[in-house]
Amino acid sequence: MTSERSLLKLSPQTPTALERILSISSFSDLSKPARYSPVAVSAMDQPYPADDSHYSGTTPRKSSSLRSVSIQSKDFGRTSVGEGNSSSMDDYGRSGSKPVRHGSKSAESEGYSLSQKEINDDEARFIYINDPEKTNEKCEFTGNLIRTSKYSFLTFLPKNLFQQFHRVAYIYFLAIAILNQLPQLAVFGRGASIMPLAFVLLVTAIKDAYEDWRRHRSDRIENNRLASVMVNGKFQQKKWKDIQVGEILKIFSNETLPCDMVLLSTSDPTGVAYIQTLNLDGESNLKTRYAKQETQWKMLEKDAIHGLIKCERPNRNIYGFQANMEIDGKQLSLGPSNIVLRGCDIKNTAWVTGVAVYAGRETKAMLNSSGSPSKRSRLETRMNQEILYLSAFLVTLCAIVSVCAGVWLFQNQDQLDYIPFFIALDFNTGKNNNYSGVGLQIFFTFLMSVIVFQIMIPISLYISMELVRLGQAYFMIRDARMYDETTNSRFQCRALNINEDLGQIKYIFSDKTGTLTQNKMEFQCASIGGVDYSGGRAALPDEKGYAVQVDGQVLRPKMTVKADPELQWLLKDGNTTEEGKWAHDFFLALAACNTIVPLVVDTSDPSLKLVDYQGESPDEQALVYAAATYGFMLIERTSGYIVIDVQGERQRFDILGMHEFDSDRKRMSVIVGCPDKTMKIFVKGADNSMFSVIDRSLNLDVIDATEKHLRAYSSFGLRTLVVAMRELSGPEFEQWQSAYERASTALIGRASLLRTVACDVEKNLHILGASAIEDKLQEGVPEAIESLRQAGIKVWVLTGDKQETAISIGYSCKLLTSDMTQIIINSNSMQSCRKSFEEGMAMSKKLMTVPADTHTGGGVGPDRAALALIIDGTSLVHILDTDLEQELFELATVCSVVLCCRVAPMQKAGIVALIKKRTEDMTLAIGDGANDVAMIQMADVGIGISGQEGRQAVMASDFAMGQFRFLLPLLLVHGHWNYQRMGYMILYNFYRNAVFVLVMFWYVLYTAFTLTTAINEWSSMLYTILYTSMPTIVVGILDKDLGRGTLMKYPQLYGPGQREECYNKRLFWLTMVDTVWQSVAMFYVPFFAYSHSTIDGSSIGDLWTILVVIVVNIHLAMDIIRWSWITHAAIWGTILATCICIMVLDSIPVLPGYWAIFHLATTEVFWFCLLASTVVALVPRFVVKILSQFLSPTDTQIAREAEKFGNQMELLGAAELEMNRIRNPPQEMPR
């Protein structure tokens, strides 16, 4: 996994550990003033970019049968595309207005948010310190009042109705209700006609009102919290909602920031403050922020402070900030290290003061609270097509009725004045009785037909789907098999509308670091001075480890690292040998070149303290712990210096300057003033960026040996870093200091100027060596990938790692196998890429006929050898967004595995888009870092891993979980269940509504097409709301076609979702044919039974209502697999409730059919009709169902039989089930 934050940041610690953190120890004997005037720490415009230039894994499985086809152009160089902070969530979301280039390097600059661009006066906001009136004089900034609620008391009704009527079906039913209010079209009672829509609107409105009430309550609590604000020279308590931009605030330890503010001073003499961003991005580790020395020493309550801050406009980038501050006539530059954001907590710092620059809804936290983008499920999209078919069917029925009515009117036009049930003439007045001629009467009949048959379009289906998805989400969240004990996190369902898409995934796009691996780094070995020190890999970690004495107490690193005995002996021997000097400088660089904050933690032993290294990069944490193990222990850090215990001797190093990591340079550097009064620059970074700035005229043999060791480390899946240094002369340092000060205070072009300054000083370096860190695989990853491949799901890994490391991890997690033929494409021009594709396609065609008996392709077909495509980001620069995309698609889709190395975040999104644009296959993206956000949002389903890289991926995802292996129960179990249930529920809803409409349609044909209804108007309205709604919801939540154990044991059972077996056009039309038959049976059996009787319409209408409810519920019962008491209660309870409702309605004198059911139920014919109609309606379906399962069983039906007779099969030794072959070719989109 790669991150959009620096590789020099530490992983978060658990909250319980943080609670025990004490203040940083100070050493009075080391508090001498520095020889050099410290330069402020550089705040690059990308303070937390990411690059996986140093990698993780385990030893690959070696096999003599490995075949690799490497396709490289002759002009191939070392250029590669790293993972930079190429796009924020905000910019990615706005990319629709401007074509986004996924492949080019320039794409990395397109996505920068405002905090990464240069600002001018037109784009800036001006804040006058401690003068809110003047600040808001020209342009009144937003107050600090926040409002997350959607509605107020006055706006709730109009806004809520407006939002609900975005659904076209609601507008349709509103139009129906309005038409029914017209006298010429009044078929139902005016109240009854509007009840279904009113019920759905009311339920949704109540849900929305409750949710908004909770938001109002939360807002009220938040806005009324108190903070100390300077008023008339004194700090006074003030409500958060009353804070204004420009005011000075004082925040104490463990308090939360009420707004975004620039630090002015802190309780620490050096101006450092420690903050926790848990509420902002989910990271529990502490971060450092700094106040400028020019404001640090001002006594705010005694010395009046006035100044001007010119900063960028509000934006969503929580990791960027650019501003200038004028104070006492001096201009200072401000960056991300000088601002603290709303929602952060002050830790390990008694107090801080600052000036509010963004307040209320303009704070970065509020701008980032919009949530993930809305997605629609594939089933719902397909369902809309079927609703169009039903609409056409409805129009056809209405047209038939209206045309037949016109024919009848034409044939009987001479008798219309006298026909008793029509009476076109009012004899009292001599005028017509609502009769407007044949033409208009046909038109009115058509509209009346629409009103009568309105439930053909199932309005209740929408609310039923919402409730079913809510129930499914509940069981997914409560699944103990998706609970991560290490992070104490449950599965999160952040998007309720795509649950069923989990059962149709064909492609998975996965990040590596932190997703497939643990992102918990452990130092393994090092190459120092051209010598490989790998002895520590086989050694056991020393339980006690290195320790130092400070003021009578023992300080020991919190974590121990396996150490190489030879290297330890060499370092203890000191600088007496050449090798010792190399090792000394190497570990000194590891201890000094970082942004780690050492915190002292209590233990049960009062004389023993543990040093916990806090930061934002697991890599950096591992390197500092390694340096401590070898006797270079970082024990104190301030904004101006650090203290390192070097083999028992405490030494102070002044921090003269620092250039943090950025994705262009892919390295970081620190300039330190050493105790021997020399100045040195230590640099570490990715090998491809470091070797370009190392002086190859010095120690060429060491450079060659280091490169050889790096290749060896990468082959073992280790993450590597190159370390170098050089000594700076006085004039060189003064030149750098002058250039840095000019760049850091520049109003225009600051970012590029700072980058140029860094590149100018980071040159002609003397190589020290390279480090190797291991990032182990997560538990169960190899087994999960193997099962996913057996399920017919293709797993593509998109990573910023080096090619060698990615391949090694591929073997470790069983993504790659020794039997696969690798097609490797490394090119740096469009022409060479085209040639590589031609060679790759030729190779794939040649291997397509190779027998695959010995291959483990996982669904690649019986006549095709397994292929693996490995391609780097440099090649993708020339492929994505060009005509070569189609060639990449054709080659990638014939491969079982695709591995993309050294890819940038936007390239990840481009690869996902490559599949989405050209196939109808469902895609899923999974990652854990901010650099995975674009990929997660591009895929049909996005999953965030709540791991070591914060919560940006989680916040942008549809679902979130703790481990990659949880994909198995999520997809194979819950995804299968959700898809099967939802597909069946949609078809069942179409059926139950259509069968009711058709019964009324057949009746209309025998009433002179006057649309007289035998069924009570209230029963017609209650049919979808009360009579038949509950069983389908219960079954949609609880029914299981197969057990969890079977679905996990046989991953091939995931195939029905990919093949759309549970919901497709064929099933839809078969359902409609069955619907027509059942409606005919239910109408004509009672029709003929009562044809010679004197039964009235209301009585037979009650019979048809009860009969339809019984048949549709027994129809549902025939398809239920897992019965429970809830299911029984829903099915049989609904039938009972229907009978009770009809009796109640027939007990009301003012309604038609008074006491009808009570007379009807006393006759034998009534009970005969119920029984005979049910049998005639359902027997054909039952017979067809039995024959289809016997003659052509599906995988699911076979597995169900295996479940039923599992014990007998085990006794007979039958361990395998024959499944349908998994389809490998992608489903091409229709051109």
Side-chain angles (χ1 to χ4, degrees):
M1 209 280 322
T2 55
S3 163
E4 288 201 354
R5 298 182 297 283
S6 168
L7 59 85
L8 304 173
K9 308 299 177 186
L10 283 183
S11 62
Q13 305 295 318
T14 60
T16 53
L18 285 172
E19 292 171 359
R20 297 183 289 116
I21 291 175
L22 299 181
S23 302
I24 297 179
S25 302
S26 60
F27 302 94
S28 56
D29 55 332
L30 296 173
S31 58
K32 296 177 292 183
R35 291 179 58 253
Y36 307 104
S37 177
V39 178
V41 176
S42 165
M44 302 297 289
D45 60 319
Q46 299 182 52
Y48 310 109
D51 180 68
D52 265 355
S53 315
H54 16 290
Y55 312 94
S56 60
T58 54
T59 307
R61 185 177 62 175
K62 294 180 174 60
S63 173
S64 58
S65 61
L66 172 65
R67 295 174 298 184
S68 177
V69 182
S70 180
I71 303 174
Q72 300 183 356
S73 63
K74 293 182 180 179
D75 56 346
F76 173 71
R78 297 189 60 84
T79 306
S80 64
V81 179
E83 291 207 16
N85 191 7
S86 62
S87 70
S88 66
M89 282 187 287
D90 186 31
D91 302 304
Y92 188 78
R94 295 194 299 260
S95 62
S97 59
K98 178 181 178 182
V100 177
R101 299 201 63 221
H102 298 105
S104 68
K105 292 178 182 177
S106 62
E108 292 195 58
S109 61
E110 291 179 9
Y112 288 145
S113 64
L114 184 60
S115 63
Q116 293 170 307
K117 296 179 180 178
E118 311 306 337
I119 56 174
N120 52 45
D121 289 349
D122 294 333
E123 295 178 331
R125 61 161 43 188
F126 296 88
I127 292 112
Y128 295 90
I129 301 175
N130 202 23
D131 195 344
E133 289 79 12
K134 189 175 182 181
T135 299
N136 292 273
E137 186 177 24
K138 292 184 178 179
C139 178
E140 185 174 351
F141 299 126
T142 181
N144 203 41
L145 177 74
I146 64 163
R147 181 178 292 113
T148 60
S149 56
K150 294 181 180 180
Y151 314 106
S152 67
F153 181 79
L154 295 177
T155 64
F156 175 78
L157 189 60
K159 289 182 68 174
N160 186 262
L161 289 176
F162 177 77
Q163 290 183 356
Q164 290 198 61
F165 277 105
H166 274 70
R167 282 181 166 165
V168 179
Y170 287 12
I171 299 177
Y172 162 78
F173 280 95
L174 178 63
I176 296 294
I178 293 174
L179 288 176
N180 195 69
Q181 308 306 308
L182 303 177
Q184 297 91 338
L185 305 178
V187 180
F188 299 134
R190 295 180 178 179
S193 64
I194 205 169
M195 194 184 74
L197 178 61
F199 175 78
V200 173
L201 293 175
L202 179 63
V203 170
T204 306
I206 291 173
K207 175 182 72 72
D208 292 344
Y210 173 70
E211 291 177 351
D212 207 58
W213 173 78
R214 293 179 62 186
R215 295 190 193 99
H216 273 286
R217 184 180 60 179
S218 176
D219 292 345
R220 187 165 54 252
I221 294 173
E222 189 81 356
N223 289 324
N224 289 320
R225 296 174 70 175
L226 299 176
S228 296
V229 180
M230 179 166 283
V231 180
N232 299 324
K234 293 184 179 180
F235 285 108
Q236 299 178 6
Q237 292 292 303
K238 198 173 187 180
K239 290 183 178 180
W240 279 21
K241 64 181 180 181
D242 299 325
I243 294 173
Q244 293 180 287
V245 173
E247 289 185 319
I248 295 178
L249 292 82
K250 188 172 188 177
I251 310 299
F252 296 91
S253 181
N254 297 319
E255 289 185 351
T256 302
L257 273 295
C259 58
D260 297 352
M261 68 182 201
V262 169
L263 285 180
L264 296 177
S265 61
T266 76
S267 59
D268 189 288
T270 64
V272 67
Y274 299 98
I275 65 168
Q276 188 181 69
T277 59
L278 187 65
N279 296 329
L280 191 63
D281 58 12
E283 298 182 14
S284 58
N285 53 308
L286 300 188
K287 300 177 178 66
T288 54
R289 296 294 183 266
Y290 302 93
K292 290 292 184 180
Q293 293 298 317
E294 288 77 4
T295 60
Q296 168 66 21
W297 299 107
K298 288 184 176 292
M299 303 294 291
L300 298 181
E301 294 181 274
K302 296 181 180 179
D303 304 329
I305 179 171
H306 297 285
L308 174 65
I309 295 177
K310 175 186 174 184
C311 65
E312 62 195 1
R313 290 180 179 177
N315 60 80
R316 298 177 66 186
N317 186 6
I318 62 175
Y319 298 119
F321 177 68
Q322 186 170 325
N324 292 297
M325 178 168 61
E326 294 181 9
I327 194 82
D328 296 336
K330 186 175 181 180
Q331 190 174 73
L332 309 172
S333 64
L334 300 175
S337 62
N338 306 118
I339 188 173
V340 285
L341 306 181
R342 181 188 179 110
C344 298
D345 296 325
I346 302 298
K347 298 289 184 181
N348 288 33
T349 307
W351 53 263
V352 301
T353 62
V355 56
V357 290
Y358 305 123
R361 63 176 181 272
E362 293 181 343
T363 58
K364 294 180 182 289
M366 294 301 297
L367 291 174
N368 276 281
S369 63
S370 60
S372 57
S374 177
K375 297 178 181 178
R376 294 181 64 189
S377 75
R378 176 71 56 85
L379 266 185
E380 189 171 348
T381 303
R382 296 284 171 84
M383 180 190 77
N384 290 336
Q385 297 178 8
E386 269 68 60
I387 287 181
L388 291 178
Y389 296 147
L390 288 176
S391 301
F393 186 41
L394 173 62
V395 171
T396 302
L397 295 181
C398 296
I400 291 173
V401 172
S402 58
V403 170
C404 292
V407 173
W408 186 91
L409 288 171
F410 183 79
Q411 292 175 346
N412 299 275
Q413 58 183 342
D414 296 334
Q415 307 176 43
L416 294 180
D417 293 344
Y418 309 102
I419 295 178
F421 52 85
F422 198 88
I423 309 180
L425 182 66
D426 187 344
F427 290 98
N428 294 325
T429 62
K431 298 180 181 179
N432 68 65
N433 189 17
N434 293 329
Y435 179 69
S436 306
V438 174
L440 280 178
Q441 201 65 32
I442 292 174
F443 177 68
F444 289 154
T445 301
F446 181 87
L447 294 181
M448 292 168 66
S449 302
V450 174
I451 296 172
V452 173
F453 303 148
Q454 60 179 290
I455 65 169
M456 178 69 79
I457 309 300
I459 186 174
S460 61
L461 176 58
Y462 290 100
I463 194 167
S464 296
M465 290 176 68
E466 296 293 334
L467 294 174
V468 167
R469 285 167 173 162
L470 188 63
Q472 291 172 350
Y474 171 80
F475 285 108
M476 287 192 290
I477 293 169
R478 302 298 298 176
D479 190 344
R481 293 169 182 82
M482 292 195 292
Y483 169 74
D484 185 21
E485 294 182 354
T486 58
T487 58
N488 191 30
S489 60
R490 289 190 176 275
F491 178 82
Q492 298 178 44
C493 188
R494 298 172 53 82
L496 289 176
N497 53 342
I498 59 172
N499 292 352
E500 56 271 22
D501 282 350
L502 294 170
Q504 296 182 276
I505 301 301
K506 186 67 176 179
Y507 287 89
I508 291 179
F509 301 91
S510 175
D511 178 42
K512 183 190 73 65
T513 306
T515 303
L516 300 179
T517 63
Q518 298 179 19
N519 203 20
K520 294 180 180 179
M521 311 304 171
E522 183 177 342
F523 183 87
Q524 291 294 324
C525 51
S527 171
I528 304 175
V531 180
D532 177 25
Y533 296 97
S534 302
R537 298 196 70 190
L540 295 175
D542 185 357
E543 293 185 2
K544 293 185 177 180
Y546 186 80
V548 298
Q549 289 277 348
V550 177
D551 296 335
Q553 290 185 326
V554 177
L555 289 182
R556 181 175 294 154
K558 188 178 179 180
M559 293 175 56
T560 57
V561 176
K562 293 182 289 187
D564 184 303
E566 180 184 355
L567 188 54
Q568 282 184 315
W569 176 85
L570 183 65
L571 289 166
K572 288 180 181 178
D573 197 39
N575 296 336
T576 57
T577 63
E578 186 69 21
E579 294 81 359
K581 292 179 181 178
W582 284 81
H584 177 276
D585 289 340
F586 178 83
F587 284 104
L588 183 60
L590 295 187
C593 188
N594 56 70
T595 56
I596 290 293
V597 178
L599 299 176
V600 179
V601 182
D602 275 332
T603 66
S604 55
D605 184 358
S607 63
L608 176 65
K609 305 286 186 182
L610 297 181
V611 179
D612 182 15
Y613 292 125
Q614 289 272 320
E616 297 171 36
S617 166
D619 301 78
E620 199 167 57
Q621 185 184 35
L623 294 176
V624 176
Y625 274 118
T629 298
Y630 284 101
F632 291 76
M633 186 172 174
L634 177 65
I635 54 179
E636 185 180 5
R637 173 181 296 278
T638 70
S639 60
Y641 66 88
I642 57 175
V643 175
I644 302 175
D645 185 282
V646 180
Q647 298 294 329
E649 179 185 355
R650 279 173 290 166
Q651 298 182 11
R652 167 173 166 162
F653 296 84
D654 295 319
I655 303 299
L656 307 180
M658 180 182 291
H659 292 283
E660 292 193 25
F661 180 95
D662 71 70
S663 60
D664 287 337
R665 292 165 38 248
K666 296 168 73 172
R667 56 183 179 264
M668 80 160 292
S669 60
V670 60
I671 300 175
V672 298
C674 301
D676 60 0
K677 300 184 179 180
T678 61
M679 289 172 288
K680 295 178 180 178
I681 178 172
F682 293 107
V683 188
K684 65 180 180 184
D687 55 355
N688 57 350
S689 68
M690 288 295 293
F691 283 119
S692 63
V693 295
I694 288 176
D695 189 351
R696 286 187 171 268
S697 64
L698 302 174
N699 305 304
L700 184 58
D701 56 337
V702 174
I703 295 175
D704 293 339
T706 303
E707 289 181 319
K708 179 181 178 182
H709 295 153
L710 283 170
R711 288 191 292 270
Y713 296 158
S714 296
S715 68
F716 286 100
L718 301 178
R719 301 163 62 91
T720 56
L721 271 178
V722 175
V723 183
M725 62 159 285
R726 74 180 176 99
E727 190 170 318
L728 294 179
S729 63
E732 282 182 310
F733 172 75
E734 290 175 1
Q735 182 181 358
W736 168 85
Q737 188 178 38
S738 176
Y740 178 83
E741 289 179 347
R742 287 196 303 271
S744 62
T745 56
L747 299 180
I748 299 176
R750 181 191 303 174
S752 59
L753 289 173
L754 285 171
R755 194 173 294 113
T756 301
V757 171
C759 292
D760 287 342
V761 75
E762 295 168 349
K763 61 184 181 181
N764 301 323
L765 300 176
H766 164 66
I767 190 170
L768 295 175
S771 63
I773 301 171
E774 181 179 16
D775 185 8
K776 294 182 178 179
L777 285 176
Q778 292 182 11
E779 179 186 349
V781 167
E783 295 80 6
I785 289 179
E786 183 64 26
S787 294
L788 291 172
R789 291 176 61 196
Q790 290 178 14
I793 300 174
K794 290 189 174 184
V795 181
W796 292 16
V797 174
L798 316 178
T799 178
D801 284 350
K802 289 189 298 183
Q803 186 171 287
E804 298 87 348
T805 305
I807 291 175
S808 176
I809 291 296
Y811 279 106
S812 300
C813 65
K814 294 186 180 180
L815 184 70
L816 298 174
T817 67
S818 59
D819 300 312
M820 286 183 178
T821 299
Q822 296 178 9
I823 300 175
I824 302 176
I825 298 180
N826 296 325
S827 304
N828 62 353
S829 71
M830 184 175 291
Q831 292 75 17
S832 58
C833 286
R834 194 183 304 276
K835 183 179 178 180
S836 299
F837 282 133
E838 293 173 356
E839 296 175 2
M841 287 303 298
M843 177 66 64
S844 65
K845 291 176 181 178
K846 181 180 178 181
L847 295 172
M848 283 180 68
T849 56
V850 175
D853 295 338
T854 60
H855 294 284
T856 57
V860 295
D863 299 318
R864 184 181 302 172
L867 299 175
L869 174 63
I870 300 167
I871 187 169
D872 68 349
T874 307
S875 304
L876 293 176
V877 167
H878 308 290
I879 296 171
L880 297 179
D881 304 307
T882 70
D883 57 349
L884 292 179
E885 270 195 351
Q886 182 62 27
E887 297 185 37
L888 172 61
F889 170 76
E890 293 173 358
L891 179 58
T893 50
V894 299
C895 296
S896 305
V897 173
V898 176
L899 210 104
C900 299
C901 318
R902 296 285 201 184
V903 288
M906 290 304 292
Q907 289 179 321
K908 290 185 176 184
I911 293 295
V912 178
L914 179 77
I915 297 299
K916 285 189 65 177
K917 288 189 296 185
R918 289 170 171 78
T919 75
E920 292 186 344
D921 295 325
M922 296 289 292
T923 59
L924 180 149
I926 180 170
D928 76 320
N931 58 319
D932 300 314
V933 167
M935 173 179 71
I936 286 172
Q937 293 185 342
M938 175 62 70
D940 295 304
V941 177
I943 297 183
I945 297 288
S946 50
Q948 306 291 320
E949 292 289 342
R951 292 183 55 85
Q952 286 199 58
V954 170
M955 290 188 291
S957 66
D958 306 305
F959 305 95
M961 56 190 186
Q963 298 284 327
F964 181 87
R965 70 177 188 274
F966 295 161
L967 274 180
L968 287 186
L970 179 63
L971 299 184
L972 303 188
V973 179
H974 291 287
H976 175 92
W977 285 342
N978 293 346
Y979 169 73
Q980 182 269 332
R981 294 163 175 167
M982 190 63 72
Y984 179 83
M985 192 191 80
I986 293 172
L987 288 174
Y988 176 80
N989 273 267
F990 289 160
Y991 149 77
R992 68 163 193 186
N993 283 32
V995 77
F996 192 73
V997 168
L998 286 172
V999 168
M1000 292 190 292
F1001 173 75
W1002 304 129
Y1003 182 76
V1004 166
L1005 299 182
Y1006 294 91
T1007 59
F1009 316 103
T1010 57
L1011 292 163
T1012 302
T1013 57
I1015 297 175
N1016 186 293
E1017 61 186 30
W1018 287 100
S1019 290
S1020 181
M1021 296 297 107
L1022 291 172
Y1023 176 76
T1024 57
I1025 297 175
L1026 181 63
Y1027 293 173
T1028 58
S1029 60
M1030 186 56 65
T1032 182
I1033 294 172
V1034 171
V1035 172
I1037 296 174
L1038 298 180
D1039 194 34
K1040 301 176 183 178
D1041 60 342
L1042 289 169
R1044 177 189 293 271
T1046 302
L1047 291 170
M1048 293 291 287
K1049 185 177 181 180
Y1050 301 106
Q1052 297 92 330
L1053 293 170
Y1054 188 75
Q1058 297 170 330
R1059 296 188 291 269
E1060 298 183 345
E1061 291 183 1
C1062 295
Y1063 187 86
N1064 51 56
K1065 288 184 180 178
R1066 175 178 169 272
L1067 279 177
F1068 172 77
W1069 291 116
L1070 286 175
T1071 301
M1072 290 299 102
V1073 171
D1074 187 29
T1075 300
V1076 172
W1077 166 255
Q1078 291 188 30
S1079 68
V1080 169
M1082 285 187 283
F1083 175 79
Y1084 281 101
V1085 169
F1087 179 80
F1088 289 121
Y1090 286 100
S1091 59
H1092 299 292
S1093 71
T1094 58
I1095 189 172
D1096 64 330
S1098 297
S1099 297
I1100 200 168
D1102 288 344
L1103 170 59
W1104 277 324
T1105 302
I1106 296 174
L1107 180 58
V1108 171
V1109 172
I1110 291 174
V1111 170
V1112 298
N1113 277 285
I1114 295 179
H1115 175 115
L1116 178 63
M1118 288 170 57
D1119 295 329
I1120 294 175
I1121 308 302
R1122 294 287 199 278
W1123 284 88
S1124 67
W1125 70 267
I1126 300 177
T1127 312
H1128 279 290
I1131 295 287
W1132 316 121
T1134 293
I1135 297 175
L1136 180 62
T1138 301
C1139 296
I1140 293 174
C1141 284
I1142 291 176
M1143 288 189 289
V1144 171
L1145 290 173
D1146 283 0
S1147 301
I1148 301 175
V1150 296
L1151 294 180
Y1154 177 67
W1155 219 250
I1157 187 64
F1158 300 100
H1159 294 299
L1160 188 66
T1162 59
T1163 64
E1164 295 178 354
V1165 180
F1166 170 79
W1167 300 103
F1168 168 79
C1169 288
L1170 289 182
L1171 179 61
S1173 299
T1174 302
V1175 172
V1176 174
L1178 296 177
V1179 163
R1181 172 180 175 79
F1182 180 76
V1183 172
V1184 171
K1185 184 175 181 179
I1186 294 299
L1187 289 177
S1188 64
Q1189 292 187 14
F1190 180 76
L1191 298 176
S1192 179
T1194 64
D1195 289 348
T1196 301
Q1197 291 163 354
I1198 295 171
R1200 194 179 303 141
E1201 290 296 311
E1203 274 188 344
K1204 186 175 181 180
F1205 303 104
N1207 294 332
Q1208 293 91 321
M1209 291 181 63
E1210 291 178 5
L1211 291 174
L1212 294 174
E1216 298 293 332
L1217 294 180
E1218 185 178 350
M1219 301 285 181
N1220 291 321
R1221 184 188 305 172
I1222 295 174
R1223 181 182 57 202
N1224 181 64
Q1227 302 179 52
E1228 292 278 358
M1229 269 191 177
R1231 295 283 189 261

